[in-house]
Amino acid sequence: MKDPVCGMEVGTKGQPVIHGGKEYYFCCATCRWAFEQNPDEFTK
Ligand SMILES: [Zn+2]
């Protein structure tokens, strides 16, 4: 899986964020937070 915020390769460990029916994983809490603020910006 790829962190949609920073582009880093990440595993599928931890709790994904579901957006538009897809699961997204993040390298860190900061990327997760940024995604949650504006998911459309990172998924278009
Ligand atoms: Zn990241």
Side-chain angles (χ1 to χ4, degrees):
M1 297 296 292
K2 210 168 204 176
D3 184 327
V5 175
C6 68
M8 203 171 121
E9 284 293 333
V10 290
T12 53
K13 280 188 271 184
Q15 193 74 11
V17 172
I18 313 285
H19 177 73
K22 289 184 70 181
E23 294 181 339
Y24 296 95
Y25 292 86
F26 302 92
C27 68
C28 62
T30 305
C31 284
R32 170 187 289 259
W33 180 86
F35 184 84
E36 287 175 333
Q37 301 316 298
N38 196 358
D40 291 329
E41 185 174 324
F42 299 107
T43 55
K44 66 186 173 199

